[in-house]
Structures are given as structure tokens and as C-alpha cells.
Amino acid sequence: MAPIKSVAIIGAGASGAITASALAAEQYFDRIRVFERRETAGGTWIYDPDPGRPFKFSPGNLPPDVDAPSQIPSSLPISIPHLEKERYEKTPIYESLTTNVPDIAMSYSDLPFAYGPFVPHWVPKQYIENYFSSHRTDRYLVTNTTVEEVVKLKDDHADYSPGWRLTLRRFNDVTQLDEWWQEDFDAVVLANGHYSVPYVPHVTGLEGYMTKYPGRVMHSKQFRSAPDFKQKRVIIIGNSASGQDLTTALVREAALPLWQSRRSPGRWDGDNPPPGVEWKPIIKEYLPSGDIIFVDGTVIKSDEVDKIIYCTGYKPSFPFWNAQRNGGQIYDYGESRLVGTYIHTFFRDHPTLAIIGLPRVLTFRSMEYQAIAVARVWSGRSSLPSTEEQISWEQNRDVLTKRERRKFHDITWDNGETLEYLQAFFNIAGLPTLAGAGRYPPVLDAETRWAIQNIKKYPEPGRKADEDGYVIVGSNEVKDSLHFI
């Protein structure tokens, strides 16, 4: 593989910020660019008071259908009328959102959060912006620029890494036109996050219900403030992190009971629902009459509900990836996982392509391990295991997660899996050079491990919060300390 001297990073959120720092620290790369479609760094932590016009979602549809690739102009560079297309650039941040990972474990190792343990959404946003400037990597930022296509350049020699061509688009506020152009790079890091394209599952009759009652059904991505739902009759669908947050906020404002539809008991659920909340099972069908039938046979009449909020998460989207020209897809939506990766980061078929931040693990801190390892490998100062070992890792991971009925990219804490995962990056990265080139992979000390296991945002069944509203639990009582991510 030829030397990698230029790297494009797609996204200036948490994963993009730490990747830029890790690459710069190697003192090896000639050109680094961080392309961000928003006006500033911050990624998913940018708060949009206006969630934008209600987007039309199709239940059961996946990102390739709802976030399809843009039509690339036949001649570039060019300035043409603005592309009017839903690109899901607005963030899912709501007014009362706080982090759910203790600050000591969430922040990067070389710069703490301003305070903690769980901070309001503007702190991570400011933190990411400051991280770029404090490491002087803000000079790499190219904001208000969308990566519309990533294409692998033709490989004429088996031992030569051909690089990548990025097609870019930026709206010019003066001319009111979109400017399109292309740039080539030796390597690309996907740091575009996975909280952009909302997912709503298919339910019999749901599409007809949305047509009959426009605006009644929404996704949590469009939620901003509980007072907007004052005395509204609301059904919350889901009880993971956003479902828990919205239920906690809305029970103080919405008409009671506040219904919460659950597939199974959540981590924070006791034997009985909180005051004002009524648990329901999953919805079986939306009837043409507007009545809603649950799987236990109970019914909520059409005139008994004002809003239905789906807190059913997001799906990763890569609309810029040209699968036809790049030899195939990089994400399998049927299996809900990346295709052909090693430790959720490196692509076997594309050694100059990496992805940072996809696994459900320690967010910012785990991204730091990934970024340092990628930077070290691409600078030529380290290497990956053999292709056979990488294939074996992916196959074993697939078997394990299917046997345990969990997601491929969910990494648990209490069985030692997180430490094993981070250790793999630690081993790949090794130490910086004697002359000081490169970052040290961070240690995960006893204080940090204790915080992960014992400091919780919400009280768990049988536990009371302290005076600050947080709860400390015994580590021997927690099955998965990262369940809240």
C-alpha cells in the first residue's frame, strides 16, 4: 500500500474532532480536511430550537430509501440552483437533554468537561468546538459543506492504494446557488454519526393513520420541549434512553395518564409504572376508525389521543457511498451491522477507509482509542493483524452476538467486553515516537471504571437518587453498565 499523506474526515462531531487531533499528532500527514455540513463543529450536540418542517417518514423504510444519494451533476465544478431535498441535517437535541455517561468517562483523556457528572447538551457542543481550537485542528475545518459522494479511484496496480474522490456541495449565500466540486484524498474516515435518520417500525395501519391524522404521529427527533405538550394526551412508543427522557419530562406537562408502549421492561422500570404513567404493550394495529389496538387486546380510542411520539431510534446512513463503483455496500441493514470490518473500525476490502464512533460503547472516550489506532496504522507506524485474523474476528463476533441475541455493534461492560475492545486499540496504537509524534492511547484507570459502574443518571428499581438527582449503585448489581447509551 502506498503511503497515506492526505486524509478526509466526514463529520465534525465528537468522532471527527478526536480523529483530526489524532491524525495531526502523528506529524506525518500533509493534508487533513474535516468536512462538516453544518455551520460549526459539534455534530449531534448542536441544538436546533426549530426542528425544521415535519419530515414525512415511511414506517419500516430504511435510509437507502428515505436518505437516498443525490444526483451528481455531469460536469464539475459547477454552480447550480440549490438542492431542495431532505437531508436530515437537523439534530435530535431537545431542550432538557443531558448526557447519560459520567463526564470522567465520556470526555477525551486530555481535556475534561467543564463539570459533571451529567451535563446539559450545550456543554458537549461547546466542548467539541473548543477541542478543535485548543488542538489547532480548526484550521482543517470545511463547514457548510456536504459530502455528496465518495468514490474509490481506479486501482491499476495490486500493490497500490488508489485513494478516493469526494464530490462536495456548499450553498453560496451570496449567489443563492449550490457550488459543487471534487477533491481527492489517499484515505477517508467516516465520522458522520448515526443519529440523523429516524426510524419508525412498520405497524399495520400506521401509514393510513398518519394520512387521516396529519401531524399526530411524530418521531422523538422532532421533540424539543415538554411544555409544547401541555395537557396533551400522549402515547410514548419505546422505553430506551429517549423514551425514558421524554416520559420523565412529559409526565409533568401532558394530560394523565401518559401512556408508554414497551416491548419489554426497561432498565429503569420497577414492578409498577411511575405515578402518572400507564404502561402498554406494543401496538398491534391502527384501525381505519382511528382506534389503536395493542397486542393485549386493549384499545385507545381515536378521540383519546393527541400525539404519538415514536422513540424508536435511528439507522446509520451513508448516502454518499457509491456502492456500485466501490464494489458493494458497507452496511447491511438486514443484519444491522457494518460489512467486512475489524473491531468495528477498519474495512478489510478498503484499507484506506475507516469508521469512528459507531459501536454503542463509551462515546467520546472510546472514539479516542479508535482514532489513535487509525492514525498510527495509516502513518505506517503500526499494522493490523492478518486478513485471516480479521475475518475470524468478524465471524466470531457474529456468532457470539446472535447466540446472545444482541446487536453486533453493542459492546457491554460488565462481562469485560469493553475492556477487551479498548485493549485491542491500545495494542495496535502502542506508544508515540521518542521524538513525540503521535498521541498516547489513554489508560482507563480505577476512578474512571468506578464511575462507569456506579454513577447513574436515573434511579434504578429500589434505589433512591441523591440530593443532586443522581444515584450510586453497587457495582455487583449492574448487568450492563452501558445500557443507557
Side-chain angles (χ1 to χ4, degrees):
M1 186 171 71
I4 296 171
K5 302 300 288 185
S6 61
V7 182
I9 302 168
I10 303 176
S15 52
I18 191 61
T19 301
S21 173
L23 291 171
E26 291 295 317
Q27 302 173 33
Y28 174 84
F29 303 99
D30 295 334
R31 187 164 65 106
I32 301 169
R33 292 289 182 271
V34 184
F35 296 104
E36 170 54 52
R37 63 183 179 178
R38 294 298 300 266
E39 67 281 359
T40 185
T44 197
W45 291 101
I46 297 172
Y47 174 58
D48 294 306
D50 175 10
R53 65 180 185 270
F55 47 78
K56 186 181 184 303
F57 51 81
S58 301
N61 279 12
L62 298 169
D65 303 308
V66 300
D67 191 26
S70 299
Q71 181 67 41
I72 307 299
S74 57
S75 176
L76 296 172
I78 194 172
S79 294
I80 56 177
H82 180 56
L83 178 67
E84 296 288 348
K85 181 180 181 181
E86 176 61 68
R87 297 313 301 264
Y88 302 96
E89 69 271 10
K90 297 281 188 176
T91 71
I93 300 297
Y94 38 92
E95 195 174 90
S96 60
L97 180 69
T98 64
T99 58
N100 52 16
V101 180
D103 62 304
I104 189 176
M106 183 171 174
S107 60
Y108 307 127
S109 62
D110 61 340
L111 185 68
F113 277 6
Y115 56 94
F118 305 106
V119 298
H121 58 78
W122 56 82
V123 172
K125 189 260 190 180
Q126 295 167 350
Y127 178 87
I128 293 169
E129 289 180 307
N130 183 53
Y131 203 81
F132 272 103
S133 57
S134 63
H135 289 76
R136 301 190 67 184
T137 51
D138 52 349
R139 66 187 187 274
Y140 304 143
L141 282 169
V142 184
T143 56
N144 294 305
T145 300
T146 300
V147 177
E148 292 289 2
E149 187 178 54
V150 174
V151 173
K152 198 171 189 178
L153 297 174
K154 187 178 180 182
D155 187 354
D156 292 323
H157 306 283
D159 59 348
Y160 175 68
S161 181
W164 303 85
R165 176 159 295 162
L166 274 58
T167 300
L168 306 158
R169 177 177 62 86
R170 174 194 292 148
F171 179 68
N172 187 316
D173 289 293
V174 175
T175 64
Q176 294 291 294
L177 296 173
D178 279 343
E179 298 173 346
W180 293 72
W181 76 100
Q182 293 178 322
E183 294 186 25
D184 294 350
F185 295 87
D186 296 330
V188 174
V189 175
L190 308 180
N192 59 308
H194 51 281
Y195 294 114
S196 295
V197 181
Y199 176 72
V200 173
H202 171 77
V203 182
T204 301
L206 177 54
E207 288 200 69
Y209 186 91
M210 292 191 299
T211 300
K212 185 171 184 174
Y213 302 103
R216 181 177 286 190
V217 180
M218 60 181 284
H219 189 275
S220 60
K221 183 175 183 179
Q222 297 167 297
F223 177 87
R224 286 300 178 267
S225 176
D228 297 337
F229 298 83
K230 193 169 187 64
Q231 290 306 305
K232 299 291 185 182
R233 297 162 297 180
V234 180
I235 302 175
I236 299 288
I237 310 294
N239 61 337
S240 292
S242 60
Q244 175 71 14
D245 276 357
L246 267 61
T247 299
T248 301
L250 287 172
V251 76
R252 304 186 185 101
E253 300 285 349
L256 303 181
L258 173 65
W259 293 293
Q260 185 182 35
S261 172
R262 315 177 306 160
R263 182 175 296 276
S264 59
R267 178 65 187 177
W268 302 282
D269 296 339
D271 295 330
N272 299 297
V277 177
E278 181 179 327
W279 286 335
K280 303 291 288 183
I282 62 174
I283 294 174
K284 177 183 178 181
E285 184 178 0
Y286 291 85
L287 296 180
S289 65
D291 294 350
I292 302 170
I293 300 180
F294 295 84
V295 293
D296 63 354
T298 57
V299 177
I300 293 179
K301 297 289 187 180
S302 62
D303 59 357
E304 294 177 332
V305 61
D306 299 308
K307 279 289 183 181
I308 301 170
I309 307 177
Y310 272 85
C311 302
T312 45
Y314 304 81
K315 296 289 185 181
S317 185
F318 308 96
F320 46 76
W321 181 257
N322 190 321
Q324 182 177 3
R325 295 183 61 182
N326 294 336
Q329 299 288 354
I330 55 171
Y331 195 86
D332 184 334
Y333 288 96
E335 294 285 328
S336 295
R337 70 180 183 91
L338 294 164
V339 176
T341 61
Y342 175 62
I343 49 178
H344 313 275
T345 306
F346 300 93
F347 290 88
R348 285 196 311 275
D349 293 338
H350 310 287
T352 55
L353 179 72
I355 184 167
I356 306 293
L358 186 64
R360 192 210 69 164
V361 67
L362 289 178
T363 61
F364 291 26
R365 183 63 63 86
S366 58
M367 297 170 191
E368 183 175 355
Y369 289 91
Q370 288 181 285
I372 294 172
V374 168
R376 203 82 92 225
V377 170
W378 285 357
S379 67
R381 296 180 175 130
S382 186
S383 60
L384 297 177
S386 67
T387 301
E388 291 72 23
E389 290 181 72
Q390 295 181 45
I391 293 173
S392 177
W393 175 88
E394 186 178 38
Q395 291 174 339
N396 291 339
R397 179 73 185 171
D398 187 47
V399 170
L400 172 68
T401 51
K402 285 180 177 176
R403 183 176 67 240
E404 297 182 353
R405 297 184 178 181
R406 56 190 175 100
K407 297 176 182 177
F408 186 89
H409 297 297
D410 280 3
I411 301 173
T412 56
W413 174 270
D414 298 275
N415 63 358
E417 190 172 75
T418 300
L419 294 179
E420 181 182 346
Y421 169 70
L422 299 180
Q423 184 69 55
F425 295 112
F426 197 95
N427 294 343
I428 290 170
L431 295 175
T433 67
L434 181 62
R439 288 178 63 117
Y440 286 89
V443 298
L444 203 64
D445 59 22
E447 184 180 7
T448 305
R449 298 196 306 273
W450 184 91
I452 294 167
Q453 295 171 193
N454 295 284
I455 302 178
K456 307 296 175 184
K457 179 177 175 180
Y458 288 116
E460 297 177 348
R463 294 284 173 177
K464 294 183 179 180
D466 64 16
E467 61 183 11
D468 294 318
Y470 309 129
V471 64
I472 297 178
V473 301
S475 59
N476 61 333
E477 301 175 24
V478 181
K479 291 182 179 179
D480 178 11
S481 296
L482 301 184
H483 64 88
F484 45 77
I485 301 177

